[in-house]
Amino acid sequence: MDLAIVITVVVVALAFDYTNGFHDAANAIATSVSTRALTPRVALTLAAVMNFVGAFLGQKVAHTVSDVIVPPDGREGLIVVLASLCGAIIWNLITWYFGLPSSSSHALIGALVGAAIAAGTSVHWHTIVDKVVVPMVVSPLVGFALAFLVMLVILWLFRNRNAGRVTRGFRLAQTVSASAMALGHGLQDAQKTMGVIFLALITGGYVDPGTTDLPIWVIAAAAGAISLGTYSGGWRIMRTLGRKIIHLDPPHAFAAESVGASVLYATAFLWEAPVSTTHIITSAIMGSGATRRASAVRWGMARSIVTAWVLTFPAAGLAAAACFGILNPLLG
């Protein structure tokens, strides 16, 4: 029975990874598609490949995710992890349906905490504060400010150049910036699923708790699932990011993507924090667009997105707690 639950957890984790891929596909490519730098299918293919590669570039974020809670050993602990995944998937699907670019990362973390509280098990609150809450607040602010500054520099450097030639040049450059963004998404988001699978394997007694290196099959499976999800696309959220926040041209889109990718790399390698790619790219888009004028950004849509950000952590936690209440009597 325990082995069956472990297998179920792995399958559901990969299903979450798949939903993460199509939910967050827009993060990497919406700006490139909206500026016609890339066609939708080419952009999705590029994003899928770079997501797969990015998943193999590190494990620090995965270990941070696996350290968020301390589930009890054995079956109850596995049910906690399974309920967490179910809660995160439920919230991902709800926000996908309404086209809101919420955070899959914070949905997963919130679901882990919600299921752990429902089970009465330990939560590492210092990890939540240092690696989740602080980056959740800081990274969007940094993304907005840096994108604003980078766009000002671009406007100053190219102020006397031919506008058509500059636009064509940045449209080509977006292939690089979109690839960098997709690589950062794989680096960040695929690792979160790896961390949950790793946590389940430790809880089930299939991996030594002292092990630091993730099994290669866990990395490959997570990389493949998020790549397939990315390739399947997330058109509802792509429309929100690409058109409803602000109409972007290639220079503004390049600035947003470049800054977003840089923040993802810094938080993964230096801070080891599971930050939200959605938060970062959305903030960078608004920061880049604000260089035109404040009214150029559709702040009403921005408020809706911020509302989804605020609701994600508690809503996913409540969904996971409800899932634990259903699954524990059935499987425990």
Side-chain angles (χ1 to χ4, degrees):
M1 182 66 173
D2 288 351
L3 176 59
I5 297 176
V6 170
I7 294 172
T8 302
V9 168
V10 172
V11 171
V12 175
L14 295 177
F16 168 78
D17 207 21
Y18 180 85
T19 66
N20 190 343
F22 75 70
H23 189 277
D24 290 1
N27 293 347
I29 62 174
T31 50
S32 297
V33 173
S34 68
T35 61
R36 295 184 174 86
L38 298 170
T39 65
R41 189 52 59 190
V42 169
L44 285 170
T45 302
L46 178 65
V49 171
M50 299 308 289
N51 264 279
F52 187 85
V53 174
F56 286 87
L57 296 183
Q59 299 182 8
K60 292 181 179 180
V61 172
H63 286 295
T64 296
V65 172
S66 66
D67 192 45
V68 166
I69 65 172
V70 186
D73 293 332
R75 186 174 301 175
E76 185 180 0
L78 292 172
I79 295 172
V80 169
V81 179
L82 180 59
S84 302
L85 290 165
C86 292
I89 290 173
I90 289 170
W91 184 245
N92 261 3
L93 293 176
I94 290 172
T95 52
W96 167 82
Y97 179 80
F98 289 103
L100 292 176
S102 66
S103 170
S104 297
S105 308
H106 296 152
L108 181 59
I109 301 295
L112 284 167
V113 172
I117 292 174
T121 191
S122 300
V123 177
H124 286 159
W125 291 108
H126 64 280
T127 301
I128 298 293
V129 172
D130 294 344
K131 301 292 187 180
V132 179
V133 176
V134 172
M136 179 176 68
V137 175
V138 172
S139 59
L141 297 176
V142 171
F144 184 96
L146 284 181
F148 186 86
L149 292 174
V150 168
M151 193 60 223
L152 286 180
V153 171
I154 289 174
L155 290 172
W156 184 81
L157 289 175
F158 295 94
R159 65 191 183 282
N160 295 322
R161 303 290 181 87
N162 179 273
R165 187 173 298 173
V166 169
T167 297
R168 287 192 296 272
F170 275 104
R171 188 172 283 129
L172 290 174
Q174 272 193 268
T175 303
V176 177
S177 59
S179 298
M181 187 67 203
L183 190 73
H185 181 257
L187 172 66
Q188 273 281 348
D189 283 45
Q191 283 195 61
K192 294 153 193 170
T193 300
M194 296 178 205
V196 174
I197 295 175
F198 189 60
L199 178 63
L201 294 175
I202 291 175
T203 302
Y206 293 94
V207 171
D208 188 339
T211 301
T212 56
D213 291 331
L214 275 66
I216 189 65
W217 70 265
V218 172
I219 299 173
I226 199 168
S227 296
L228 288 173
T230 299
Y231 188 74
S232 69
W235 305 106
R236 291 173 183 266
I237 296 172
M238 195 179 298
R239 284 194 294 270
T240 299
L241 280 180
R243 299 183 184 278
K244 292 185 180 179
I245 297 175
I246 186 173
H247 180 70
L248 294 174
D249 58 18
H252 287 81
F254 174 82
E257 291 170 343
S258 300
V259 167
S262 299
V263 174
L264 288 177
Y265 299 149
T267 50
F269 291 120
L270 301 179
W271 209 341
E272 302 177 18
V275 297
S276 167
T277 56
T278 306
H279 287 199
I280 292 168
I281 190 60
T282 305
S283 299
I285 289 172
M286 289 191 287
S288 174
T291 56
R292 291 174 173 172
R293 60 187 186 281
S295 59
V297 179
R298 292 166 185 162
W299 296 107
M301 177 55 67
R303 281 194 297 271
S304 298
I305 293 170
V306 171
T307 300
W309 290 355
V310 173
L311 289 177
T312 290
F313 204 92
L318 289 173
C323 290
F324 179 80
I326 295 170
L327 292 172
N328 195 43
L330 292 176
L331 301 177

